[in-house]
C-alpha cells in the first residue's frame, strides 16, 4: 500500500476569467510508474473513507482518476457537470445554491459528472471547499493498492464492487444516508 496526501500529488490553478466557485482546475504532473498499474484506491477526507475506485489499465491513477474525483467531490473545478438528480439536490441545498446561480450548472454525462451523494458531501464541507487552498488538499489522503490479490473476486472491478458494498463510502453510489426516524 502507498499512502499520499493529495497535497503531494495534486495541484490546482485558478482561472480568474471563470465564475467562482467553478474557477479552479485540478491537475497532476505525477509520472511515478507505481501509479500506472491496475489497482484499487481509497480517498479519505479528514480521516473518513469517502471514495473507493479502481483502475484496470496502465494509465496514471492520479492524473486519470484522482483528479476527476477531487473535482467532482469539492465542486471547485470548471469541468464539473451534474446529473439531473444531482442538480435537483444542489438546488435543495439553500446555502450552496447561491454560489451556483451564475453560470447555471451544466447537466451532462461526462468525465467530470457529480452525483447526489457528492452534493450532500460537498454541502457538509462547503465552508472548507469554497475556500479551497493547499491546506484543504492536505486533508485529503490517497491509499493506493497496486496489483491487488483479487481473492474470490473475478477481477479488480469485482473486488472494488465488493469493497464499496462493504464500506459504503459517502461519495460512492453504494452509500445510502441512514434514516433516523
Amino acid at each position: 500500500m502507498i499512502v499520499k496526501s493529495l497535497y503531494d500529488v495534486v495541484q490546482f490553478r485558478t482561472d480568474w476569467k471563470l465564475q467562482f466557485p467553478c474557477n479552479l482546475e485540478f491537475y497532476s504532473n505525477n509520472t511515478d510508474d507505481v501509479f500506472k498499474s491496475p489497482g484499487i484506491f481509497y480517498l479519505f477526507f479528514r480521516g473518513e473513507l469517502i471514495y473507493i475506485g479502481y483502475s484496470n489499465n496502465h494509465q496514471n491513477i492520479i492524473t486519470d482518476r484522482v483528479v476527476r474525483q477531487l473535482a467532482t467531490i469539492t465542486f471547485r473545478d470548471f469541468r464539473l457537470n451534474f446529473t439531473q438528480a444531482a442538480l435537483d439536490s444542489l438546488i435543495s441545498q439553500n446555502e450552496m445554491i447561491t454560489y451556483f446561480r451564475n453560470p447555471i450548472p451544466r447537466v451532462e454525462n461526462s468525465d467530470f459528472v457529480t452525483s447526489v451523494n457528492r452534493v450532500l458531501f460537498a454541502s457538509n464541507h462547503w465552508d472548507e471547499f469554497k475556500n479551497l487552498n493547499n491546506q484543504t488538499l492536505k486533508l485529503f489522503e490517497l491509499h493506493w493498492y497496486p496489483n491487488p490479490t483479487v481473492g474470490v473476486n473475478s477481477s479488480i472491478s469485482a473486488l472494488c464492487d465488493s469493497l464499496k458494498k462493504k464500506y459504503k463510502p459517502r461519495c460512492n453510489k453504494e452509500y445510502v444516508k441512514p434514516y433516523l426516524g
Side-chain angles (χ1 to χ4, degrees):
M1 173 180 70
I2 297 167
V3 177
K4 292 280 188 182
S5 166
L6 288 197
Y7 173 77
D8 295 330
V9 294
V10 175
Q11 298 82 42
F12 65 91
R13 57 183 149 249
T14 304
D15 186 336
W16 296 107
K17 294 178 271 179
L18 296 174
Q19 179 70 35
F20 172 84
C22 295
N23 63 337
L24 300 182
E25 179 182 13
F26 293 104
Y27 65 97
S28 178
N29 295 323
N30 185 286
T31 58
D32 191 340
D33 284 342
V34 73
F35 295 106
K36 292 182 180 179
S37 61
I40 301 279
F41 69 96
Y42 293 179
L43 285 180
F44 292 82
F45 182 71
R46 292 188 166 276
E48 176 190 354
L49 175 62
I50 61 168
Y51 184 80
I52 300 174
Y54 75 96
S55 174
N56 58 3
N57 58 36
H58 294 282
Q59 294 178 337
N60 187 296
I61 190 74
I62 297 170
T63 59
D64 188 48
R65 298 290 317 279
V66 173
V67 163
R68 187 176 335 136
Q69 301 312 320
L70 185 62
T72 60
I73 288 170
T74 63
F75 282 43
R76 292 300 315 276
D77 195 287
F78 77 94
R79 296 166 285 191
L80 180 67
N81 293 297
F82 291 80
T83 63
Q84 187 60 54
L87 182 57
D88 293 344
S89 181
L90 178 72
I91 291 167
S92 73
Q93 304 296 316
N94 292 333
E95 179 188 338
M96 277 188 67
I97 191 57
T98 61
Y99 293 97
F100 290 88
R101 291 199 187 280
N102 190 13
I104 297 169
R106 292 181 305 263
V107 175
E108 289 184 21
N109 188 9
S110 69
D111 283 344
F112 285 81
V113 67
T114 197
S115 66
V116 171
N117 286 344
R118 292 169 193 229
V119 169
L120 298 174
F121 184 80
S123 178
N124 288 340
H125 297 282
W126 189 240
D127 285 340
E128 292 169 291
F129 295 165
K130 72 181 176 188
N131 298 309
L132 193 134
N133 57 32
N134 285 329
Q135 295 304 319
T136 313
L137 284 182
K138 288 179 180 179
L139 300 173
F140 285 93
E141 191 172 83
L142 167 69
H143 291 202
W144 173 236
Y145 298 87
N147 301 309
T149 303
V150 296
V152 298
N153 300 285
S154 60
S155 65
I156 289 178
S157 65
L159 173 60
C160 184
D161 288 345
S162 69
L163 291 167
K164 289 187 290 186
K165 287 175 187 168
K166 180 177 181 177
Y167 295 110
K168 296 178 177 42
R170 286 177 45 187
C171 293
N172 283 105
K173 68 181 177 185
E174 289 77 9
Y175 175 76
V176 178
K177 185 177 180 178
Y179 175 73
L180 302 174

